[in-house]
Amino acid sequence: MTKGLNTREKIISKSAELFNVHGYHGCSLSDIMEATDLKKGGIYNHFKNKDEIALEAFDYSFKKMLKQFRKRLDYDKTPTEKLHSIIEVYAELASVPGMEGGCPIFNTAVDASNTHPLLKQKANEAINSLKKYIEIKVREGIASGEFRKDADQNDLATLIIITLEGAIIMSRVNDKSCIDVAVKTLKRYLKERIYKP
């Protein structure tokens, strides 16, 4: 039982890495076989098809991503500290071992938007979950008096996500310093537009 479970987990973790770098369509069953050192029968002994592997691999990557956030956020005391941690951890995702492709949410969203409805739905739910968390931190900051009363939680959450995602994507084909620019710009925006003077 344990051996079977370990094999299943190995397939999921290795597939998650492949999907995050190459995408669902760019990753073949042969790639998964090579990465796991298993034959086709060994993989299909645990999964019905590539779709099932992809869905579980996404869940695995998303949990791994959330774990990176919790490592920092569990120690933060204030909404201000939490927003800074969200920005910094998000920017560092591409350097997390096994997550070299960057954010698995947007990688999946782009890759599956017109071709894989179930993966697209999972990516959409994950984006909304992340956005909702940022919005909650903004509301907490307003309630505690740290943030301006007119701070727009929806706009800020959207701005943080799209700015960092754009920077991560650009860093994959260009200079990685654009991530630093994105982080500095967002922190400056928080100081000028969100935090109380």
Side-chain angles (χ1 to χ4, degrees):
M1 183 72 176
T2 304
K3 184 180 179 183
L5 185 62
N6 288 341
T7 301
R8 182 180 175 83
E9 290 173 349
K10 179 181 180 181
I11 294 168
I12 292 171
S13 65
K14 293 293 185 182
S15 298
E17 293 177 20
L18 290 170
F19 288 135
N20 203 44
V21 174
H22 304 293
Y24 174 80
H25 299 289
C27 174
S28 67
L29 184 62
S30 297
D31 294 326
I32 297 172
M33 289 165 58
E34 184 178 343
T36 58
D37 199 27
L38 292 168
K39 294 183 178 179
K40 187 183 289 187
I43 292 173
Y44 284 148
N45 190 37
H46 297 277
F47 298 94
K48 293 177 185 176
N49 50 40
K50 181 182 166 187
D51 284 349
E52 190 176 2
I53 298 172
L55 293 170
E56 294 216 28
F58 177 84
D59 289 340
Y60 172 88
S61 290
F62 185 48
K63 285 176 187 172
K64 189 172 184 178
M65 177 180 170
L66 292 179
K67 189 175 179 181
Q68 295 302 313
F69 282 108
R70 287 194 193 102
K71 280 182 185 177
R72 287 278 298 274
L73 294 167
D74 285 351
Y75 294 97
D76 292 332
K77 306 295 184 196
T78 67
T80 298
E81 290 175 350
K82 288 183 185 294
L83 280 187
H84 275 221
S85 287
I86 288 168
I87 291 169
E88 290 164 8
V89 171
Y90 213 132
E92 294 164 1
L93 281 180
S95 61
V96 174
M99 208 172 279
E100 284 79 7
C103 175
I105 302 175
F106 274 80
N107 287 345
T108 301
V110 171
D111 188 49
S113 60
N114 296 314
T115 57
H116 203 298
L118 290 177
L119 272 177
K120 179 183 178 182
Q121 181 182 344
K122 278 190 173 287
N124 185 51
E125 289 169 357
I127 291 168
N128 288 337
S129 174
L130 181 59
K131 189 169 176 285
K132 185 176 180 181
Y133 182 81
I134 297 172
E135 290 172 350
I136 289 170
K137 295 304 114 185
V138 176
R139 288 200 296 272
E140 288 176 359
I142 293 171
S144 69
E146 285 181 59
F147 300 171
R148 300 171 187 237
K149 288 184 179 179
D150 62 349
D152 190 303
Q153 61 194 35
N154 178 65
D155 284 359
L156 179 59
T158 302
L159 181 66
I160 288 173
I161 292 170
I162 63 175
T163 301
L164 290 170
E165 282 301 334
I168 290 170
I169 291 168
M170 187 173 173
S171 73
R172 291 174 67 177
V173 295
N174 205 317
D175 188 351
K176 293 189 184 298
S177 66
C178 58
I179 294 179
D180 294 331
V181 172
V183 170
K184 288 176 187 175
T185 301
L186 285 171
K187 287 184 177 179
R188 185 168 61 246
Y189 180 88
L190 292 176
K191 184 177 180 181
E192 296 174 355
R193 303 287 297 276
I194 304 297
Y195 303 151
K196 276 193 171 179

